[in-house]
């Protein structure tokens, strides 16, 4: 896809902590309207799941073409 940036493997700083985007998951939620996208942010051997909506401001600020 032209003008798109792959996110897997990119470093991102969230609340002064540097993570690597490890994976992205789509989680359909049958009990509530809407569906959700989650990012797995890795630091050391630990993966923190972060919602797309919460991570979006950091992505806009830090990820460039």
């Amino acid at each position: 896809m032209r003008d798109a940036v792959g996110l897997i493997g990119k470093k991102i700083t969230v609340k002064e902590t540097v993570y690597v985007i490890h994976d992205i998951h789509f989680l359909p939620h049958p009990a509530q309207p809407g569906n959700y996208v989650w990012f797995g942010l890795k630091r050391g051997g630990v993966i923190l799941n972060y919602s797309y909506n919460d991570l979006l401001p950091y992505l806009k600020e830090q990820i460039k073409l």
Side-chain angles (χ1 to χ4, degrees):
M1 178 182 276
R2 193 175 357 179
D3 295 335
V5 176
L7 295 175
I8 304 297
K10 295 282 188 197
K11 291 183 180 178
I12 191 161
T13 302
V14 177
K15 298 179 183 174
E16 301 180 11
T17 303
V18 178
Y19 296 94
V20 174
I21 299 173
H22 184 261
D23 48 20
I24 301 171
H25 299 280
F26 174 72
L27 178 65
H29 200 290
Q32 298 177 2
N35 297 295
Y36 305 95
V37 175
W38 290 87
F39 283 73
L41 304 181
K42 189 172 185 177
R43 180 170 183 247
V46 177
I47 296 177
L48 170 70
N49 291 316
Y50 224 87
S51 76
Y52 168 77
N53 291 333
D54 291 339
L55 195 61
L56 186 57
Y58 299 102
L59 292 171
K60 286 182 175 180
E61 177 185 313
Q62 298 175 39
I63 304 297
K64 306 294 181 201
L65 287 174

